[in-house]
Amino acid sequence: ETNKEALIREIKEELDADINIDKFLTTVDYTYPNFHLLMDCFICSFKNPKFELIEAEAYKFVTKEELDNIKFLPADVIVVEELKKTI
């Protein structure tokens, strides 16, 4: 399974949604105290705007400006900073 195939599968399993992978965003290489994370991140879009929370408890759509008001995990900060450059 490629990283793109895994992403498509995970989104289907967790949100019952089909996505397009539009472009590569960044690779996060971060070491937490108990594990090392190496994660490829992509910009994606929904093929259909309908989705259902299967594994997640909640979601929220935010603007670029609101991103600075959210406390992200350290590795996620890397992704958010790259994302802000593209939107």
Side-chain angles (χ1 to χ4, degrees), residues 14-15 51-59:
E14 296 189 17
L15 298 177
F51 62 91
E52 176 184 349
L53 299 181
I54 297 170
E55 295 291 328
E57 294 180 15
Y59 74 94

Side-chain angles (χ1 to χ4, degrees), residues 20-85:
N20 295 309
I21 297 178
D22 300 325
K23 69 178 183 174
F24 174 79
L25 179 64
T26 192
T27 297
V28 174
D29 190 351
Y30 190 87
T31 301
Y32 284 101
N34 297 325
F35 67 95
H36 182 79
L37 175 67
L38 182 63
M39 177 176 66
D40 290 333
C41 302
F42 298 88
I43 302 290
C44 301
S45 57
F46 287 113
K47 290 183 178 181
N48 181 328
K50 293 183 180 182
F51 62 91
E52 176 184 349
L53 299 181
I54 297 170
E55 295 291 328
E57 294 180 15
Y59 74 94
K60 181 178 182 180
F61 291 103
V62 297
T63 64
K64 178 181 179 179
E65 294 74 27
E66 292 172 309
L67 289 171
D68 291 330
N69 300 325
I70 300 171
K71 184 174 181 175
F72 290 98
L73 295 172
D76 293 339
V77 171
I78 298 165
V79 179
V80 171
E81 290 305 313
E82 288 300 316
L83 181 61
K84 286 175 11 182
K85 295 176 187 175

